[in-house]
Amino acid sequence: MATAMDPESYTTTKFTLNNGTTIPGVGFGTYRIRCGDVIMKVVDEALAAGYRMFDTAAVYHNEGHLKKAFQTLLPKYGLEREEIFITTKLSPSDHGSLEVVRKAYKHSLDNLGLDYVDLYLIHFPGTAKLACDDKRNIDIRNMTWASLVDLYDNGLVNAIGVSNFTVKHLQQLLRSNHGVIPAVNQVEWHPFYHQQELLDYCKENDILLQAYCSLGGTSANNDSLLKHPLVTKIANKLEVTNAQVLLRWALQQDIAVIPKSTDPRHIKDNIALNFTIPNEDMRILSDLGSHKIKYAWDPSVVV
Ligand code: NDP
């Protein structure tokens, strides 16, 4: 059996969701990793490094590769299915009735080779093929959430949540009173793009924020964040890497992270976050937000 990294060297931070289940503070993002061989290699590296949470989505088109990786690698590390946390997301083209959502969820489960996922998210507040300002988005979003609640109430999924929801979208959802509050809101969150109002709203309503694009995303122009001189200065002072500073900055705000990497060194570094950023440096990093550089799609335009 393969051995994992010494737990002392990586963070074992976990967050408790509003339904009592726990989620690792650091997970592994898989956006744009589509090749089966690469998925096998990075999941192997990730499990060895201590990751126990994996983030995918129907639209990433890699659920099938993850199935093979889990089937091969969980036995290699002596891990049971229950010891890893898997998130997938409902595509914007599958919003709506229970029938449509059930079918999409079953499709993801079949692709992943699983009986359940730990967390199922509405990927985006807007519905495919509807204009962002089309008011039907609101009703369809509510119906979609009701469908997820049905999956949850019937014990088909361990937790449900949303992604890319703004305060307005969350308020609309909570007002419609479906009896279940999203456990997680997965959003773009890094020193160039973060909103205190959203964090406060989520904390008040016991919704865990999970950050994506913590390192500037997978786009080619992500270096402005990773190589920012102030990030470098803090990293040098703390004797860690720039990426570790960016990830730890989120964790210290009680925000979970899901960095993506195909580089074995980066995969190890991104979970080795057992250090503390002093308050004054946390403030310096948060103040970089005045630039408001956004790397991913913008949900604020969706009604
Ligand atoms: P990240 O912010 O995680 O950045 C990934 C990029 O950073 C890659 O180019 C990677 O290159 C590089 N990188 C990773 N670690 C390091 C390191 N230690 N040092 C230097 N460079 C590093 O981007 P993502 O957009 O992938 O976001 C993370 C995850 O969030 C996604 O994979 C996906 O699971 C999720 N996501 C969710 C979205 C949503 O709408 N809900 C939208 C976007 C992402 P390399 O491979 O060479 O290490």
Side-chain angles (χ1 to χ4, degrees):
M1 190 191 301
T3 50
M5 231 164 91
D6 176 4
E8 293 278 305
S9 56
Y10 65 83
T11 179
T12 49
T13 304
K14 284 191 176 199
F15 293 105
T16 302
L17 301 179
N18 60 21
N19 67 353
T21 59
T22 55
I23 181 170
V26 183
F28 189 81
T30 65
Y31 180 44
R32 289 194 178 153
I33 316 182
R34 290 202 198 101
C35 168
D37 290 348
V38 178
I39 290 274
M40 188 67 78
K41 188 171 148 287
V42 296
V43 172
D44 199 352
E45 299 280 357
L47 289 171
Y51 292 80
R52 294 294 178 263
M53 192 254 145
F54 294 85
D55 181 83
T56 183
V59 299
Y60 296 174
H61 299 294
N62 61 15
E63 290 174 325
H65 297 316
L66 284 166
K67 170 184 176 174
K68 285 199 191 109
F70 294 138
Q71 284 178 346
T72 307
L73 297 168
L74 294 189
K76 177 176 172 184
Y77 289 92
L79 290 167
E80 300 295 333
R81 157 70 185 95
E82 301 70 44
E83 293 175 89
I84 59 165
F85 190 108
I86 300 168
T87 299
T88 195
K89 313 184 194 88
L90 179 76
S91 161
S93 57
D94 289 321
H95 284 187
S97 68
L98 181 55
E99 192 190 348
V100 171
V101 171
R102 261 185 196 259
K103 193 171 158 206
Y105 181 57
K106 183 170 183 320
H107 194 60
S108 279
L109 289 183
D110 290 347
N111 283 342
L112 285 161
L114 300 174
D115 300 330
Y116 68 93
V117 292
D118 299 274
L119 178 64
Y120 196 42
L121 304 178
I122 298 180
H123 203 149
F124 195 71
T127 295
K129 296 186 181 153
L130 278 190
C132 292
D133 60 357
D134 190 323
K135 294 229 165 50
R136 284 176 295 174
N137 276 303
I138 301 170
D139 285 343
I140 296 176
R141 198 159 55 234
N142 268 328
M143 198 197 303
T144 307
W145 181 249
S147 302
L148 260 71
V149 169
D150 189 274
L151 296 181
Y152 177 71
D153 283 345
N154 281 291
L156 300 174
V157 57
N158 279 6
I160 51 174
V162 296
S163 177
N164 295 297
F165 274 41
T166 63
V167 170
K168 177 187 72 185
H169 301 133
L170 290 170
Q171 283 171 335
Q172 287 167 352
L173 204 68
L174 267 54
R175 263 201 306 269
S176 64
N177 197 13
H178 294 286
V180 180
I181 292 176
V184 167
N185 185 18
Q186 185 187 104
V187 297
E188 180 168 348
W189 192 277
H190 46 76
F192 284 167
Y193 193 83
H194 55 103
Q195 302 136 293
Q196 191 59 42
E197 189 200 358
L198 180 63
L199 180 59
D200 290 344
Y201 186 84
C202 285
K203 284 190 174 174
E204 277 160 26
N205 289 284
D206 208 3
I207 301 168
L208 177 73
L209 260 196
Q210 190 178 46
Y212 72 72
C213 288
S214 301
L215 308 174
T218 35
S219 61
N221 64 348
N222 63 0
D223 275 9
S224 54
L225 178 61
L226 257 173
K227 295 197 173 150
H228 193 286
L230 288 172
V231 177
T232 305
K233 194 172 167 194
I234 294 167
N236 288 344
K237 185 171 93 178
L238 299 176
E239 298 181 340
V240 295
T241 68
N242 290 26
Q244 287 169 321
V245 165
L246 294 171
L247 295 166
R248 182 70 205 179
W249 170 80
L251 279 185
Q252 275 181 226
Q253 297 167 78
D254 297 326
I255 295 173
V257 291
I258 43 172
K260 169 261 164 189
S261 178
T262 50
D263 178 310
R265 181 69 254 160
H266 292 165
I267 292 172
K268 286 194 188 76
D269 283 353
N270 293 347
I271 197 168
L273 302 175
N274 277 337
F275 62 96
T276 303
I277 302 175
N279 286 341
E280 65 270 21
D281 294 328
M282 285 293 289
R283 273 194 293 275
I284 289 170
L285 293 165
S286 298
D287 285 347
L288 297 180
S290 55
H291 293 69
K292 286 282 173 219
I293 295 176
K294 196 171 186 325
Y295 296 102
W297 45 358
D298 184 6
S300 69
V301 294
V302 180
V303 291

